[in-house]
């Protein structure tokens, strides 16, 4: 276990980065093996009532073309992805109130009939809603804390409440979900100390999955004149997360590949063991523009599956043929 000061020192000093990435890679191999888990990502609605300052889908952005994929089509994308061999689906969206508990429960039950694991990433809900989704069969839930600095959190999230976000995570955990969280790296005003605290928070909450993404500034948001997050700093936060929680699942995030053309492979060699290719058609991908220059917006699902599978095999790793539950979750 590293202390906060040790984490800060590692984050501030770039002379030993290679050693850090190698260490994270070794721990990844020892604890979760060489398999890479592919999750079929369905971004089913870009309609959002929130105003997160960094996100292109925020409600005040009038320039984004909004879309919603309706229940039957969501299920059919999931069916296609299952036919392609995906063993986990991830349903992600803005906070879109069209999707009531009843509608989500119906979707969850249908997708679970495909024999796949199901992850939800649909934002803040009440305990009862999370319970209804769990009872319907959802296995995992992703909700990033984004930053553990409460003041910065308040600045970045108008009308949202830091304590509510934390409560969501504890509700999810207590309901028996595999619990995923994570943070953004490079928020304006965010310090190295804040990032060290984020890493310690992942440990404190005993996360089963952690996704780290560099901020990519969106021209239609209040952060348009700020700098992007730093790819290597985000990679260091990810590698340290692997060191602190060696048996969790860690995705090589799309945002990393957006900032670095080989970003996902570099991440897979620095502690990551999951990739989340998009399995919807390109018609929707370009509209789910949380940040600009997102990868894969013109590709179709089979192209992405072939592309990422070839890259993974080229570094001597294998594609898992199982649901890839978090080993950390299983060991509790
Ligand atoms: N609405 C749900 C939520 O916020 O939890 C799920 C969808 S949201 C688009 C998924 C993640 O996208 C967020 O947790 C956030 O970290 C990330 N994100 C949003 N805008 C971003 C940006 N400009 N750069 C990098 N990541 C971003
Ligand atoms: Fe909505 Fe999620 Fe974007 Fe925030 S990050 S504006 S909740 S889609
Ligand atoms: Fe989509 Fe490479 S993963 S084109």
């Amino acid at each position: 276990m590293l202390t906060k000061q040790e984490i800060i020192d590692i984050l501030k000093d770039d002379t030993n980065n290679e050693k850090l990435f190698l260490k994270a890679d070794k721990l990844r191999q020892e604890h979760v093996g060489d398999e890479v888990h592919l999750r079929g990502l369905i971004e089913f609605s870009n309609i959002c009532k929130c105003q997160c300052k960094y996100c292109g889908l925020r409600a005040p952005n009038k320039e984004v073309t909004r879309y919603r994929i309706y229940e039957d089509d969501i299920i059919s994308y999931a069916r296609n992805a299952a036919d392609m061999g995906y063993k986990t689906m991830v349903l992600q969206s803005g906070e879109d109130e069209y999707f009531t508990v009843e509608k989500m429960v119906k979707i969850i039950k249908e997708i679970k009939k495909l024999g796949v694991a199901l992850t939800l990433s649909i934002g803040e809900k009440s305990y009862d809603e999370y319970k209804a989704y769990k009872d319907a069969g959802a296995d995992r839930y992703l909700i990033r804390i984004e930053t553990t600095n409460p003041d910065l959190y308040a600045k970045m999230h108008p009308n949202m409440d830091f304590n509510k976000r934390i409560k969501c995570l504890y509700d999810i955990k207590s309901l028996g979900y595999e619990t995923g969280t994570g943070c953004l790296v490079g928020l304006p005003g965010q310090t190295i100390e804040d990032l060290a605290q984020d890493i310690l928070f992942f440990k404190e909450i005993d996360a089963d999955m952690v996704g780290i993404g560099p901020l990519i500034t969106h021209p239609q948001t209040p952060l348009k004149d700020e700098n992007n997050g730093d790819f290597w700093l985000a990679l260091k936060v990810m590698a340290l997360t692997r060191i602190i929680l060696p048996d969790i699942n860690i995705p090589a995030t799309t945002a990393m590949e957006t900032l670095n053309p080989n970003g996902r492979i570099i991440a897979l060699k620095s502690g990551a063991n999951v990739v989340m290719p998009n399995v919807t058609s390109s018609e929707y991908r370009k509209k789910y523009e949380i940040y600009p220059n997102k990868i894969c917006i013109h590709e179709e699902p089979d192209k992405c599956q072939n592309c990422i599978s070839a890259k993974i095999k080229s570094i001597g790793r294998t594609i898992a043929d199982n649901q890839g539950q978090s080993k950390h979750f299983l060991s509790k």
Side-chain angles (χ1 to χ4, degrees):
M1 184 62 195
L2 295 164
T3 64
K4 184 166 179 182
Q5 191 54 51
E6 284 167 333
I7 296 174
I8 291 169
D9 292 345
I10 295 171
L11 287 174
K12 283 189 173 165
D13 172 16
D14 281 333
T15 53
N16 288 314
N17 284 1
E18 277 317 307
K19 248 166 97 181
L20 170 68
F21 300 142
L22 270 175
K23 174 83 184 161
D25 193 42
K26 189 160 175 282
L27 284 171
R28 184 271 309 155
Q29 186 172 43
E30 281 167 20
H31 290 266
V32 297
D34 281 336
E35 286 186 329
V36 176
H37 302 283
L38 297 186
R39 318 300 196 193
L41 176 63
I42 302 174
E43 294 164 336
F44 65 94
S45 169
N46 72 353
I47 298 168
C48 189
K49 64 176 185 194
C50 301
Q51 301 180 29
C52 308
K53 289 237 175 99
Y54 41 81
C55 179
L57 307 187
R58 65 199 303 270
N61 183 7
K62 301 291 175 233
E63 291 174 68
V64 62
T65 311
R66 303 284 171 175
Y67 74 89
R68 175 184 289 137
I69 304 179
Y70 287 89
E71 294 89 315
D72 289 350
D73 287 339
I74 295 175
I75 294 158
S76 98
Y77 277 120
R79 188 171 299 117
N80 277 347
D83 289 345
M84 289 169 71
Y86 285 96
K87 304 279 188 269
T88 294
M89 302 307 153
V90 180
L91 291 185
Q92 193 184 84
S93 69
E95 295 212 9
D96 179 355
E97 291 186 327
Y98 167 84
F99 289 97
T100 56
V101 181
E102 294 68 34
K103 290 187 176 108
M104 282 311 300
V105 162
K106 185 178 151 228
I107 296 166
I108 292 165
K109 285 187 172 161
E110 286 302 314
I111 293 181
K112 285 302 290 180
K113 286 184 191 161
L114 303 169
V116 294
L118 180 58
T119 305
L120 300 178
S121 172
I122 57 177
E124 295 183 9
K125 307 285 170 192
S126 68
Y127 179 89
D128 289 345
E129 284 173 274
Y130 287 140
K131 181 166 185 330
Y133 305 153
K134 186 78 183 62
D135 291 345
D139 304 280
R140 308 172 188 159
Y141 206 100
L142 301 175
I143 183 162
R144 288 182 178 175
I145 190 68
E146 315 291 1
T147 173
T148 53
N149 176 330
D151 296 334
L152 180 59
Y153 186 92
K155 276 190 201 135
M156 289 296 122
H157 304 96
N159 308 325
M160 285 167 86
D161 177 0
F162 180 67
N163 292 321
K164 165 96 197 295
R165 195 85 173 171
I166 304 245
K167 180 179 182 299
C168 286
L169 277 162
Y170 280 104
D171 285 348
I172 288 161
K173 258 180 86 75
S174 72
L175 285 163
Y177 283 98
E178 274 180 68
T179 303
T181 189
C183 66
L184 281 166
V185 176
L187 289 168
Q190 188 180 42
T191 63
I192 292 292
E193 285 74 10
D194 292 337
L195 292 170
Q197 193 56 48
D198 293 350
I199 296 168
L200 292 175
F201 172 78
F202 306 149
K203 177 86 178 174
E204 182 188 316
I205 192 133
D206 199 25
D208 303 303
M209 314 178 272
V210 174
I212 312 287
L215 170 77
I216 303 172
T217 57
H218 191 297
Q220 294 155 5
T221 66
L223 302 194
K224 62 179 187 308
D225 297 324
E226 303 288 343
N227 293 325
N228 283 340
D230 182 76
F231 172 81
W232 296 103
L233 183 58
L235 198 71
K236 287 177 78 173
V237 173
M238 191 201 79
L240 282 161
T241 302
R242 169 64 70 200
I243 289 170
I244 286 222
L245 285 161
D247 56 354
I248 64 169
N249 283 334
I250 299 184
T253 56
T254 306
M256 286 189 174
E257 185 109 343
T258 301
L259 286 190
N260 182 315
N262 202 25
R264 287 176 303 178
I265 290 300
I266 296 172
L268 286 172
K269 291 165 92 174
S270 310
N273 70 323
V274 170
V275 181
M276 294 164 58
N278 199 310
V279 295
T280 56
S281 59
S282 57
E283 167 193 0
Y284 299 116
R285 298 181 182 205
K286 51 182 170 289
K287 295 183 189 145
Y288 200 84
E289 201 197 45
I290 53 183
Y291 46 75
N293 306 317
K294 233 176 120 200
I295 57 161
C296 304
I297 55 171
H298 302 298
E299 278 75 17
E300 295 296 330
D302 54 340
K303 171 103 191 284
C304 284
Q305 191 186 29
N306 292 337
C307 161
I308 194 66
S309 301
K311 288 185 186 184
I312 290 166
K313 287 176 193 155
S314 78
I315 56 165
R317 303 275 280 278
T318 54
I319 312 282
D321 191 29
N322 55 62
Q323 293 186 352
Q325 270 186 296
S326 165
K327 292 216 159 55
H328 188 72
F329 178 80
L330 291 172
S331 72
K332 287 187 221 173

